[in-house]
Coordinates of all heavy atoms in Angstrom, one line a residue:
E258 N 8.0 -38.4 44.0 CA 8.7 -37.2 43.3 C 8.6 -37.4 41.8 O 9.4 -36.7 41.1 CB 10.1 -37.1 43.8 CG 10.2 -36.8 45.3 CD 11.6 -36.3 45.8 OE1 12.4 -36.1 44.9 OE2 11.8 -36.2 47.0
V282 N 9.9 -42.5 48.8 CA 11.3 -42.3 48.3 C 12.3 -42.2 49.4 O 11.9 -41.9 50.6 CB 11.4 -41.1 47.4 CG1 10.5 -41.3 46.2 CG2 11.0 -39.8 48.2
D283 N 13.6 -42.4 49.1 CA 14.6 -42.2 50.1 C 15.0 -40.7 50.2 O 14.4 -39.9 49.5 CB 15.8 -43.1 49.9 CG 16.4 -42.9 48.5 OD1 16.3 -41.8 48.0 OD2 17.1 -43.8 48.0
D284 N 16.0 -40.4 50.9 CA 16.4 -39.0 51.1 C 16.9 -38.4 49.8 O 16.8 -37.1 49.6 CB 17.6 -38.9 52.1 CG 17.1 -39.2 53.5 OD1 15.9 -39.0 53.8 OD2 17.9 -39.5 54.4
R285 N 17.3 -39.2 48.8 CA 17.8 -38.7 47.5 C 16.6 -38.5 46.6 O 16.8 -37.9 45.5 CB 18.8 -39.6 46.9 CG 20.1 -39.8 47.7 CD 20.9 -41.0 47.1 NE 20.1 -42.2 47.1 CZ 20.4 -43.3 46.4 NH1 21.4 -43.3 45.5 NH2 19.6 -44.4 46.5
G286 N 15.5 -39.0 46.9 CA 14.3 -38.9 46.0 C 14.1 -40.1 45.2 O 13.3 -40.1 44.2
T316 N 14.6 -37.2 38.2 CA 13.3 -36.6 38.6 C 13.4 -35.1 38.4 O 14.5 -34.5 38.3 CB 12.9 -36.9 40.1 OG1 14.0 -36.5 40.9 CG2 12.7 -38.3 40.3
V318 N 12.8 -32.3 40.2 CA 13.3 -31.4 41.2 C 14.7 -31.9 41.6 O 15.7 -31.1 41.4 CB 12.4 -31.3 42.5 CG1 13.1 -30.4 43.5 CG2 11.1 -30.7 42.1
Q319 N 14.9 -33.0 42.2 CA 16.2 -33.4 42.8 C 17.1 -34.1 41.7 O 18.2 -34.3 42.0 CB 16.0 -34.4 44.0 CG 15.4 -33.7 45.2 CD 15.6 -34.5 46.5 OE1 16.8 -34.5 47.0 NE2 14.6 -35.1 47.0
G320 N 16.5 -34.5 40.6 CA 17.3 -35.2 39.6 C 17.6 -36.6 40.1 O 18.7 -37.1 39.8
A321 N 16.7 -37.3 40.7 CA 16.9 -38.6 41.3 C 16.6 -39.7 40.3 O 15.8 -39.5 39.4 CB 16.1 -38.8 42.6
V449 N 29.2 -27.6 42.8 CA 29.0 -28.2 44.1 C 30.2 -28.1 45.0 O 30.2 -27.8 46.2 CB 28.6 -29.7 44.0 CG1 28.6 -30.4 45.3 CG2 27.2 -29.8 43.3
M452 N 30.4 -24.5 46.2 CA 29.3 -24.3 47.1 C 29.6 -24.8 48.5 O 29.3 -24.2 49.5 CB 28.0 -24.9 46.6 CG 26.7 -24.5 47.3 SD 25.2 -25.2 46.5 CE 25.1 -24.2 45.0
M453 N 30.2 -26.0 48.6 CA 30.5 -26.6 49.8 C 31.5 -25.8 50.6 O 31.6 -26.0 51.8 CB 30.9 -28.1 49.6 CG 29.8 -29.0 49.1 SD 30.4 -30.6 48.7 CE 30.8 -31.3 50.3
G457 N 27.0 -20.4 54.3 CA 25.6 -20.0 54.0 C 24.9 -20.8 52.9 O 23.7 -20.7 52.7
F458 N 25.7 -21.7 52.2 CA 25.1 -22.6 51.2 C 25.0 -24.0 51.8 O 26.0 -24.6 52.2 CB 25.9 -22.6 50.0 CG 25.9 -21.3 49.2 CD1 26.7 -20.3 49.5 CD2 24.9 -21.2 48.2 CE1 26.7 -19.1 48.7 CE2 24.8 -20.0 47.4 CZ 25.7 -18.9 47.7
Q459 N 23.8 -24.5 51.8 CA 23.5 -25.8 52.4 C 22.8 -26.7 51.4 O 21.7 -26.5 51.0 CB 22.6 -25.7 53.7 CG 22.4 -27.1 54.4 CD 21.5 -26.9 55.6 OE1 21.5 -25.8 56.2 NE2 20.8 -28.0 56.0
L460 N 23.6 -27.7 50.9 CA 23.0 -28.6 49.9 C 21.9 -29.5 50.5 O 22.0 -30.0 51.7 CB 24.1 -29.5 49.4 CG 25.1 -28.9 48.4 CD1 26.4 -29.8 48.2 CD2 24.5 -28.6 47.1
I461 N 20.9 -29.8 49.7 CA 19.9 -30.7 50.1 C 20.4 -32.1 50.1 O 20.1 -33.0 51.0 CB 18.7 -30.7 49.1 CG1 18.0 -29.3 49.1 CG2 17.6 -31.7 49.5 CD1 17.5 -28.8 50.4
G462 N 21.3 -32.4 49.2 CA 22.0 -33.7 49.1 C 23.0 -33.6 47.9 O 22.9 -32.7 47.1
K463 N 23.8 -34.6 47.8 CA 24.8 -34.6 46.7 C 24.1 -34.9 45.4 O 23.4 -35.9 45.3 CB 25.9 -35.7 47.0 CG 27.0 -35.7 46.0 CD 28.1 -36.7 46.3 CE 29.2 -36.6 45.2 NZ 30.3 -37.6 45.6
P464 N 24.2 -34.1 44.4 CA 23.4 -34.3 43.2 C 23.8 -35.5 42.5 O 25.0 -35.9 42.4 CB 23.8 -33.0 42.4 CG 24.3 -32.0 43.3 CD 25.0 -32.8 44.4
E465 N 22.8 -36.2 41.9 CA 23.0 -37.4 41.0 C 23.0 -36.9 39.6 O 23.5 -37.6 38.7 CB 21.9 -38.4 41.2 CG 22.0 -39.2 42.5 CD 21.0 -40.3 42.5 OE1 21.4 -41.4 41.9 OE2 19.9 -40.2 43.1
N468 N 20.8 -31.2 38.5 CA 20.0 -30.5 39.4 C 20.7 -30.3 40.7 O 21.0 -31.2 41.4 CB 18.7 -31.2 39.7 CG 17.9 -31.6 38.5 OD1 18.5 -32.0 37.5 ND2 16.6 -31.6 38.6
V469 N 21.0 -29.0 41.1 CA 21.7 -28.7 42.3 C 20.7 -28.0 43.3 O 20.3 -26.9 43.0 CB 23.0 -27.8 42.1 CG1 23.7 -27.6 43.5 CG2 23.9 -28.5 41.1
C470 N 20.3 -28.7 44.3 CA 19.3 -28.2 45.2 C 19.9 -27.8 46.5 O 20.7 -28.6 47.1 CB 18.2 -29.3 45.5 SG 17.3 -29.8 44.0
F471 N 19.6 -26.6 47.0 CA 20.3 -26.1 48.2 C 19.4 -25.0 48.8 O 18.5 -24.4 48.2 CB 21.6 -25.5 47.8 CG 21.6 -24.3 46.9 CD1 21.6 -23.0 47.4 CD2 21.4 -24.4 45.5 CE1 21.5 -21.9 46.6 CE2 21.3 -23.3 44.7 CZ 21.4 -22.0 45.3
W472 N 19.7 -24.7 50.1 CA 19.2 -23.5 50.8 C 20.3 -22.5 50.8 O 21.5 -22.9 51.0 CB 18.8 -23.9 52.2 CG 17.6 -24.6 52.4 CD1 16.3 -24.2 52.2 CD2 17.4 -26.0 52.9 NE1 15.4 -25.2 52.4 CE2 16.0 -26.3 52.9 CE3 18.3 -27.0 53.3 CZ2 15.6 -27.5 53.3 CZ3 17.9 -28.2 53.7 CH2 16.5 -28.5 53.7
F473 N 20.0 -21.2 50.8 CA 20.9 -20.2 51.1 C 20.5 -19.7 52.5 O 19.3 -19.2 52.7 CB 20.9 -19.0 50.1 CG 21.8 -17.9 50.5 CD1 23.2 -18.0 50.5 CD2 21.3 -16.7 51.0 CE1 24.0 -17.0 50.9 CE2 22.1 -15.7 51.4 CZ 23.5 -15.8 51.4
I474 N 21.4 -19.7 53.5 CA 21.2 -19.3 54.8 C 21.8 -17.9 55.0 O 23.0 -17.8 55.1 CB 21.8 -20.3 55.9 CG1 21.6 -21.7 55.5 CG2 21.2 -19.9 57.3 CD1 20.1 -22.2 55.5
Y487 N 12.7 -20.8 62.9 CA 13.8 -20.9 61.9 C 13.2 -21.4 60.5 O 13.5 -20.8 59.5 CB 14.8 -21.9 62.4 CG 16.0 -22.1 61.3 CD1 17.0 -21.2 61.2 CD2 16.0 -23.3 60.5 CE1 18.0 -21.4 60.3 CE2 17.0 -23.5 59.6 CZ 18.0 -22.6 59.5 OH 19.0 -22.8 58.6
Q488 N 12.4 -22.5 60.5 CA 11.9 -23.0 59.2 C 11.0 -22.0 58.5 O 11.1 -21.9 57.3 CB 11.2 -24.3 59.5 CG 12.1 -25.5 59.9 CD 13.1 -25.9 58.9 OE1 12.7 -25.9 57.7 NE2 14.3 -26.2 59.3
L491 N 13.3 -19.3 57.1 CA 14.1 -19.9 56.0 C 13.2 -20.0 54.8 O 13.7 -19.8 53.6 CB 14.7 -21.2 56.4 CG 15.5 -21.9 55.3 CD1 16.7 -21.0 54.9 CD2 16.0 -23.3 55.8
A495 N 14.2 -17.8 49.8 CA 14.2 -18.1 48.4 C 13.3 -17.2 47.6 O 13.7 -16.6 46.6 CB 14.0 -19.5 48.1
G511 N 15.1 -21.4 39.8 CA 13.8 -21.8 40.5 C 13.9 -22.2 41.9 O 15.0 -22.4 42.4
Y512 N 12.8 -22.2 42.6 CA 12.8 -22.7 44.0 C 11.4 -23.4 44.2 O 10.5 -23.2 43.4 CB 12.9 -21.6 45.0 CG 11.7 -20.6 45.1 CD1 10.7 -20.9 46.0 CD2 11.6 -19.5 44.4 CE1 9.6 -20.1 46.1 CE2 10.5 -18.7 44.4 CZ 9.5 -19.0 45.3 OH 8.4 -18.1 45.4
Q513 N 11.3 -24.2 45.3 CA 10.1 -24.9 45.6 C 10.3 -25.6 47.0 O 11.4 -25.8 47.4 CB 9.8 -26.0 44.6 CG 10.9 -27.1 44.5 CD 12.1 -26.7 43.8 OE1 12.1 -26.3 42.6 NE2 13.3 -26.7 44.5
P514 N 9.2 -25.9 47.6 CA 9.2 -26.8 48.8 C 9.1 -28.2 48.2 O 8.7 -28.4 47.1 CB 7.9 -26.4 49.6 CG 7.0 -25.9 48.5 CD 7.8 -25.3 47.4
L515 N 9.4 -29.2 49.0 CA 9.3 -30.6 48.6 C 9.2 -31.4 49.8 O 10.1 -31.4 50.7 CB 10.5 -31.0 47.8 CG 10.4 -32.4 47.2 CD1 9.3 -32.5 46.1 CD2 11.8 -32.8 46.5
G516 N 8.1 -32.2 49.9 CA 7.9 -33.0 51.1 C 7.9 -32.2 52.3 O 7.1 -31.2 52.5
G517 N 8.7 -32.5 53.3 CA 8.8 -31.8 54.5 C 9.8 -30.6 54.5 O 10.0 -29.9 55.5
R518 N 10.4 -30.4 53.3 CA 11.5 -29.3 53.2 C 10.8 -28.0 52.8 O 10.0 -28.0 51.9 CB 12.5 -29.7 52.2 CG 13.3 -31.0 52.6 CD 14.3 -31.3 51.5 NE 15.1 -32.5 51.8 CZ 15.0 -33.6 51.1 NH1 14.2 -33.7 50.1 NH2 15.8 -34.6 51.4
V519 N 11.2 -26.9 53.5 CA 10.7 -25.6 53.1 C 11.4 -25.2 51.8 O 12.4 -25.8 51.4 CB 10.9 -24.6 54.2 CG1 10.1 -25.0 55.4 CG2 12.4 -24.4 54.5
N520 N 11.0 -24.1 51.3 CA 11.5 -23.6 50.0 C 13.0 -23.6 49.9 O 13.8 -23.2 50.7 CB 11.1 -22.1 49.8 CG 9.6 -22.0 49.4 OD1 9.1 -22.8 48.8 ND2 9.0 -20.9 49.9
F521 N 13.5 -24.3 48.8 CA 14.9 -24.3 48.5 C 15.1 -24.1 47.0 O 14.2 -24.2 46.2 CB 15.6 -25.6 48.9 CG 15.0 -26.9 48.3 CD1 15.4 -27.3 47.1 CD2 13.9 -27.5 48.9 CE1 14.9 -28.5 46.5 CE2 13.4 -28.7 48.3 CZ 13.8 -29.1 47.1
F522 N 16.3 -23.7 46.6 CA 16.6 -23.4 45.2 C 16.9 -24.7 44.5 O 17.5 -25.6 45.0 CB 17.9 -22.5 45.1 CG 17.6 -21.0 45.5 CD1 18.1 -20.5 46.7 CD2 16.8 -20.2 44.7 CE1 17.8 -19.2 47.0 CE2 16.5 -18.9 45.0 CZ 17.0 -18.4 46.2
R523 N 16.5 -24.7 43.2 CA 16.9 -25.8 42.3 C 17.6 -25.2 41.1 O 17.1 -24.5 40.2 CB 15.7 -26.5 41.8 CG 16.0 -27.7 40.8 CD 14.8 -28.1 40.0 NE 14.4 -27.1 39.1 CZ 13.6 -27.4 38.0 NH1 13.1 -28.6 37.8 NH2 13.2 -26.4 37.2
M524 N 18.9 -25.3 41.1 CA 19.8 -24.8 40.1 C 20.0 -25.8 39.0 O 20.4 -27.0 39.3 CB 21.1 -24.3 40.7 CG 22.3 -24.2 39.7 SD 22.1 -22.7 38.7 CE 23.8 -22.5 38.1

Side-chain angles (χ1 to χ4, degrees):
E258 296 194 10
V282 297
D283 60 23
D284 290 339
R285 299 170 300 161
T316 57
V318 177
Q319 292 199 75
V449 170
M452 190 176 288
M453 293 176 66
F458 289 88
Q459 182 179 334
L460 286 165
I461 300 298
K463 186 176 180 180
E465 290 189 81
N468 309 37
V469 181
C470 298
F471 67 95
W472 285 291
F473 176 71
I474 317 296
Y487 177 81
Q488 292 295 320
L491 180 60
Y512 73 86
Q513 63 285 301
L515 184 67
R518 301 183 177 107
V519 299
N520 286 327
F521 59 88
F522 287 109
R523 182 198 67 163
M524 161 73 161

